[in-house]
Amino acid sequence: MATRLRTSELALLPFPILLLGGAALLLHYARGSEWDSVDLAAALLFTVILLVLHVVLTWRLPRADQALLPIVAALCAFGLIAVSRLEPALTSRQSLWILVGVVALLVTALGLPRADWLGRYRYTWLFGGLGLLVATMVMGVDPNGSGMRLWLGFGGYYFQPSEILKVVMAVFFASYLAEKRSLLAHAPLRLGRLTLPPLPYLAPLGIMWALSMGLLVWQRDLGAALLFYLVFLAMLYAATGPRYVGIGVVLLVLGAIISYGLFDHVQLRTRVWLDPWPYAADDAYQIVQALYAYAAGGVAGAGLGFGYPEYVPAIHTDFVLAALGEELGLIGSLGIVALYLALVHRAFRIALRAPSDFTMLLAAGLGTILGLQAFIILAGNLRVIPITGITLPFLSYGGSSILANFVMVGLLLRISSESPTKGPVHG
Amino acid sequence: MNDLPSDAVILVLRIAVIALLYLFLFSIVVLTQRELRAEVAARSTSPRSRLIVIDPGPTPHVPGQAITLEPVTRFGRADSSTVVLDDDFVSTAHAMVLLKEDRWWIRDEGSTNGTYVNGVRVERDVPLAEGDELQIGQVRLKMAI
């Protein structure tokens, strides 16, 4: 029998810790100041958290995927470096959020009776999630002046429900599609001589999608709306094959045209995306400054602590890549993109080895969320697509985002620990 | 500011951070490759199981002979069977032994005279354990996992 120790994980974990240490040393030299005790405490806490997590996983989920935790740790290390570089005052909050996230990860990974158990209560999750969304519409606040009321506040802390909603939606879609996939994939609906897809079975999905979409668009959170829709489409594809991809893409284009017609800020962002230079002093200031930052960084980068990130507004939440691109250069940025690639690859690997249809679709959905979210914001930062304000998983500053991402990793760890040792691999 | 390190120290640190990142990515690739190899190896070595002939009946097999099982092993009188059993009491496509969820199972393929595990007729798929005795027509076999 294979060894029960998680030796591969243990061998990979020093890398994120050394990365954080090396980067902290660089920042210290760049600042030319005394040691920042907050940075030291954050690095120490980070190391302790990782080791405790490793021990708990070895004890309780020895068969869970061994690369997931190190990859997430490396991304979190870059997140801590970025926050400590860009908004030093927020470093302690960010490390506390990582601690809270790890607790949420453990509760998710160890607390579930079985991963399949989640799928049984799909309507509970769905209505819980929609309830949160409605609560945000009614009582939402805008603590940081972004012009969008997307947060719920409790006693000085703010929480963004759309972050948790994406996990809830992935669970709902996975559960619904696992049950109805053969119907959706095969059963035709005949209308005279016309053969249509089985619309009645798609209706609940469509209504649910339109509802969450409408709410999101009404709240003007277009990044989240785009993410939700693409994740929904990807999971439908994973469950039923290429049957609905064509109509899905047509609906996407239609949705893009409609929202362009309806919303001023979509028009503005598209205009700024196509040609930022005429607006470089006002509307396109952020993206133009980011482009200058990449150019200043070049291939090798200016070196951590030696760039000028203060020229890019909201850099620690929406434009982390601009800071990393300037200071770590093209080499460092590509390395970070590769980390996301490795994360998505792990999630899909877990999906292929999942013990049931529900867990397979859920793992695929979670991998899609992490990958697409990283893509949407990174591509937006690089002016490949118009900028939408969503967070870069594990890297951006932001509590609810970190919490939701850790819950997703907890689910992936749990699913991977339940995979059959040698059994069949899903096609 | 008086103990500001030289540019060389900073350069070394910068290279070290990038090198660590890429070494880490490389280690993940190596780990993935190792896992894939182990999985392929596990899949190709697990069906080491065999059926030992106890009573060959009228077939040319000999007692004590070992038949190595394949993930799908078909028994029958037809030439296309994995194991051809030339016995009048065996149907053309009689039964199959298959690897499913990491276990061996026997399935009767609607044979005339039935397939028996330890004297009990096989109705639907039956999991096989070490030492189980199979009867197909007049041929008797023993499971050796």
Side-chain angles (χ1 to χ4, degrees):
Chain A
M1 204 51 225
T3 167
R4 287 284 166 178
L5 289 177
R6 298 168 62 78
T7 44
S8 307
E9 184 177 83
L10 192 60
L12 287 174
L13 279 179
F15 286 100
I17 293 168
L18 289 174
L19 266 174
L20 183 60
L25 204 59
L26 258 178
L27 280 182
H28 164 68
Y29 285 146
R31 285 185 188 134
S33 60
E34 291 301 306
W35 274 104
D36 190 335
S37 60
V38 176
D39 276 3
L40 278 179
L44 198 67
L45 181 67
F46 183 75
T47 310
V48 171
I49 287 175
L50 285 185
L51 292 179
V52 169
L53 247 181
H54 171 74
V55 170
V56 175
L57 288 178
T58 308
W59 172 42
R60 297 297 304 274
L61 296 178
R63 291 185 44 227
D65 190 281
Q66 300 203 34
L68 212 48
L69 177 61
I71 295 171
V72 167
L75 289 170
C76 282
F78 279 106
L80 276 172
I81 294 162
V83 167
S84 146
R85 166 72 182 101
L86 303 170
E87 294 286 335
L90 295 177
T91 312
S92 52
R93 265 205 169 183
Q94 180 83 346
S95 24
L96 282 180
W97 276 120
I98 291 178
L99 183 63
V100 172
V102 166
V103 172
L105 177 151
L106 285 176
V107 169
T108 317
L110 306 178
L112 293 176
R114 278 175 60 83
D116 276 324
W117 175 87
L118 271 179
R120 272 196 260 156
Y121 299 96
R122 60 169 179 252
Y123 289 104
T124 312
W125 307 126
L126 174 65
F127 288 117
L130 291 180
L132 265 180
L133 205 56
V134 172
T136 322
M137 284 168 51
V138 178
M139 321 186 293
V141 288
D142 178 16
N144 51 14
S146 65
M148 300 177 201
R149 299 192 313 150
L150 302 177
W151 286 265
L152 283 177
F154 332 80
Y157 281 87
Y158 294 98
F159 178 76
Q160 202 170 358
S162 62
E163 293 285 347
I164 283 299
L165 195 62
K166 70 190 182 191
V167 186
V168 172
M169 287 303 160
V171 171
F172 174 78
F173 287 149
S175 166
Y176 188 86
L177 290 170
E179 200 179 289
K180 304 285 196 292
R181 68 186 290 196
S182 49
L183 270 171
L184 289 169
H186 304 298
L189 179 78
R190 289 182 200 287
L191 253 181
R193 294 208 321 253
L194 274 174
T195 308
L196 293 171
L199 291 173
Y201 298 107
L202 271 182
L205 282 174
I207 292 169
M208 220 274 327
W209 167 78
L211 197 62
S212 60
M213 234 36 185
L215 291 171
L216 286 169
V217 170
W218 195 41
Q219 289 190 302
R220 314 206 319 164
D221 190 355
L222 286 161
L226 180 66
L227 179 67
F228 275 37
Y229 182 67
L230 289 176
V231 166
F232 161 75
L233 199 59
M235 290 180 74
L236 195 59
Y237 173 68
T240 62
R243 191 171 186 175
Y244 301 106
V245 172
I247 182 146
V249 172
V250 169
L251 281 175
L252 175 68
V253 173
L254 212 66
I257 294 171
I258 292 173
S259 57
Y260 183 86
L262 281 180
F263 300 107
D264 293 344
H265 69 295
V266 179
Q267 291 175 14
L268 177 71
R269 281 176 183 185
T270 314
R271 213 161 46 231
V272 159
W273 166 60
L274 288 173
D275 184 14
W277 306 107
Y279 317 100
D282 40 68
D283 291 332
Y285 183 73
Q286 199 180 25
I287 184 77
V288 165
Q289 292 302 322
L291 292 176
Y292 283 140
Y294 306 131
V299 173
L304 264 180
F306 293 96
Y308 300 94
E310 55 276 15
Y311 287 114
V312 186
I315 193 163
H316 65 298
T317 53
D318 290 351
F319 263 83
V320 181
L321 184 70
L324 296 171
E326 180 179 11
E327 303 203 334
L328 297 175
L330 179 68
I331 303 183
S333 313
L334 285 179
I336 288 164
V337 173
L339 284 177
Y340 283 108
L341 206 63
L343 184 63
V344 173
H345 169 249
R346 279 286 143 179
F348 285 169
R349 216 181 112 77
I350 291 169
L352 288 174
R353 283 156 186 76
S356 63
D357 280 359
F358 166 69
T359 46
M360 177 194 72
L361 288 169
L362 181 58
L366 296 176
T368 311
I369 291 177
L370 291 168
L372 272 176
Q373 194 172 339
F375 172 78
I376 291 173
I377 187 68
L378 289 175
N381 281 186
L382 286 167
R383 207 166 71 84
V384 174
I385 62 171
I387 181 77
T388 50
I390 58 177
T391 55
L392 189 53
F394 302 106
L395 255 155
S396 296
Y397 173 75
S400 10
S401 159
I402 288 186
L403 192 65
N405 292 330
F406 270 104
V407 168
M408 294 199 280
V409 173
L411 285 173
L412 285 171
L413 282 170
R414 183 55 192 258
I415 293 171
S416 66
S417 79
E418 287 179 8
S419 72
T421 23
K422 268 181 269 168
V425 171
H426 290 268
Chain B
M1 294 290 271
N2 50 2
D3 60 344
L4 193 69
S6 66
D7 288 351
V9 174
I10 287 180
L11 185 67
V12 167
L13 267 174
R14 283 178 55 188
I15 294 171
V17 166
I18 297 294
L20 269 172
L21 174 56
Y22 279 86
L23 258 174
F24 177 63
L25 288 166
F26 179 72
S27 312
I28 290 170
V29 173
V30 170
L31 168 66
T32 307
Q33 203 178 18
R34 213 168 52 216
E35 284 175 346
L36 284 174
R37 286 229 180 91
E39 270 167 35
V40 171
R43 241 176 288 158
S44 54
T45 54
S46 68
R48 274 277 169 72
S49 312
R50 293 156 304 155
L51 281 173
I52 312 291
V53 177
I54 302 173
D55 179 354
T59 66
H61 294 285
V62 286
Q65 185 188 348
I67 299 168
T68 305
L69 288 173
E70 289 172 25
V72 175
T73 314
R74 295 166 190 282
F75 294 85
R77 224 171 52 226
D79 287 338
S80 58
S81 312
T82 323
V83 179
V84 180
L85 298 174
D86 200 5
D87 171 351
D88 289 343
F89 289 86
V90 173
S91 302
T92 322
H94 193 109
M96 67 164 85
V97 173
L98 60 160
L99 187 61
K100 197 167 68 173
E101 288 151 14
D102 223 19
R103 296 184 72 174
W104 289 104
W105 300 71
I106 186 151
R107 174 183 299 170
D108 186 85
E109 297 207 88
S111 65
T112 316
N113 295 311
T115 304
Y116 295 83
V117 176
N118 301 327
V120 181
R121 187 160 180 163
V122 174
E123 301 284 351
R124 54 188 131 160
D125 293 8
V126 175
L128 292 173
E130 171 76 39
D132 277 351
E133 211 176 289
L134 305 183
Q135 176 143 13
I136 299 171
Q138 299 174 70
V139 182
R140 289 194 298 130
L141 305 152
K142 202 168 91 175
M143 190 70 190
I145 290 175

